Amino acid sequence: MTTSLRRGRSTRQHTVDWRSVKVSRDSCAGDTVWQFESTVPSVGRAHMSVNWTLKYDSRFKVSRGTHRRLLDSCKAFLVQMITAPPSGRRCGPSTLVAMGCLMKVVLGWMFAEGVSSFSKLDTACLERLRAWLIERPGRGREKIGHHSLSRYMDA
């Protein structure tokens, strides 16, 4: 998989392997951990990273190859949000961390449910995901709130 990168204001496109794209000063897209710098003094390094370690579990209903492909698809999607964001949008470090963390939760569910590609997330499948998310414990609450649920569904 490759991605096109825009360099400055030039319209010339360069094709590179997405894994080599710098997502931050210290991390490339192919790294297991993406570490970002915080511009907010009170936010520590631990809150500005995405650890992409999602070890394969024999209870997963997807193959090892599908596990790897889905994980790489999420990372490649976020690289696209850095290199070629939708018009008028910019993904800063905190957005990338939040999106990465949400996507990891969805991926875990997909692995356990045997959903082998994002294209298989039809209405019925998304309703099962929604029901599963509603039952997940929230931060300090019995269940996640409506705002958190909508963020997962948007991811």
Side-chain angles (χ1 to χ4, degrees), residues 75-91:
K75 291 169 83 172
F77 169 75
L78 291 178
V79 168
Q80 281 295 113
M81 295 301 289
I82 296 167
T83 61
S87 182
R89 303 210 34 193
R90 178 182 127 341
C91 272

Side-chain angles (χ1 to χ4, degrees), residues 49-63:
S49 65
V50 180
N51 185 336
W52 289 103
T53 302
L54 285 171
K55 294 194 186 303
Y56 185 80
D57 187 315
S58 61
R59 294 174 293 185
F60 287 162
K61 296 178 182 174
V62 297
S63 69

Side-chain angles (χ1 to χ4, degrees), residues 13-14 19 23 31 36 39-40 44 49 51 55 61 63 65 72 75 84-85 94 100 103 108 135 137 139 147-148:
Q13 300 279 317
H14 301 280
R19 289 171 188 84
V23 294
D31 294 346
F36 297 93
T39 56
V40 180
S49 65
N51 185 336
K55 294 194 186 303
K61 296 178 182 174
S63 69
D72 283 351
K75 291 169 83 172
S94 59
M103 292 173 95
E135 294 304 315
R139 207 181 270 167
H147 177 71
S148 295

